[in-house]
Amino acid sequence: MTTLKEIDDIINIGEMFSRKKLMEMFKISGQSGIMKTKTLNCLVLVTSESNGVYSDSGIENGTILYTGEGLVGDQQLNKNNKSIYASRETKLPMYLFSKDKDRNYIFEGKVELCDDPHQVIEKDKKGNDRLVWKFPLRIIYPENRDFHEDDRLQQVANQVARIEEEIEERIHQDVIEVKDGPLKLRKYRRTGVRQQRTSKPDYIAEEIIKSKQGIINEEAIFKQERKRLVEEGAIEQVEKMDEFFENKKENEGFDILSFKKMENGEYKEMYIEVKSTKENEGTPIDITSNEVEFAKEHIEDYYLYRIVNSKTDQRYLKIVTGEELFSNYNFIPTSFKIYSK
């Protein structure tokens, strides 16, 4: 009998399977979007471009937002939805496939929950508003896999490397200026995607691009701030800045620790959050509740660095103070977490 280890050894990211082959390999039957196999003790998740209810499973900030099962009425946290919800505790393996219009199943990778599941309001199959579950997932990249054998991933990796080199070169050439004006950052665009993927998101490439671009943006701002402090001779502040950036955690509430020189010559901390939007300043910004609370608590020392029009040659950096953030921007909740009383 085939084991999960054997499947992991033979299945490749981006590989296509027929429905019959997929059913045989994982010992499952049926056509549900989420299928659990008791024989192998794993979940097979499928997202389909042809199904209007599930086609909104996509990418947000480098995370795959997978929609739970249930076509009519509020989705319940039971059966397979419950299995995904509890997967961080149970360590249940999950395999994500996307189904194209020709009913080919493309392996996107093994996935895991990377944040708390939440509920949003969407239309059901009958067009009525209902609550659906969204499961934030990320691809698990095997440490022992040779990604050089995957042409698509290699193309992504090569382009990301080129962008990093360009950013580094521009920093050394003093091209990037942190001010209320142009910020010369190149937006990464993927190319060379296989033809069968042109009609739907490429989860792996999009995740790499979005997460890597966010890191590149942060590093560009970090290095510019660091360069300013070095030129001012603020060695102690530079050391603190380096230590934070190298060891920061995901829930810090801000991206970069920097410092500004006061009139008395002393340095005061700056808490910088870096965000980018593809369009103009009217484009909404995604921000977590943790980031909002931190900004409120440190409003006098908080700064939002917005890279606006990031996909065009007219990109620029808008610096927003904490006070401006809460006086000039509206905060609209788009999802809620609910807990038992």
Side-chain angles (χ1 to χ4, degrees), residues 167 171 176 185 215-224:
I167 293 295
I171 290 172
I176 297 179
L185 284 176
I215 293 172
I216 290 172
N217 289 341
E218 289 181 20
E219 289 182 347
I221 301 300
F222 167 78
K223 290 179 179 179
Q224 188 64 49

Side-chain angles (χ1 to χ4, degrees), residues 18-34:
S18 66
R19 179 178 177 276
K20 180 180 179 181
K21 180 64 177 177
L22 188 68
M23 301 299 110
E24 291 176 351
M25 184 165 53
F26 285 95
K27 314 299 181 189
I28 52 181
S29 60
Q31 300 188 36
S32 173
I34 306 174

Side-chain angles (χ1 to χ4, degrees), residues 25 147 168 203 218 226 246 267 270:
M25 184 165 53
F147 290 104
E168 187 70 24
Y203 290 122
E218 289 181 20
R226 189 182 190 281
E246 292 172 3
Y267 280 90
M270 296 173 61

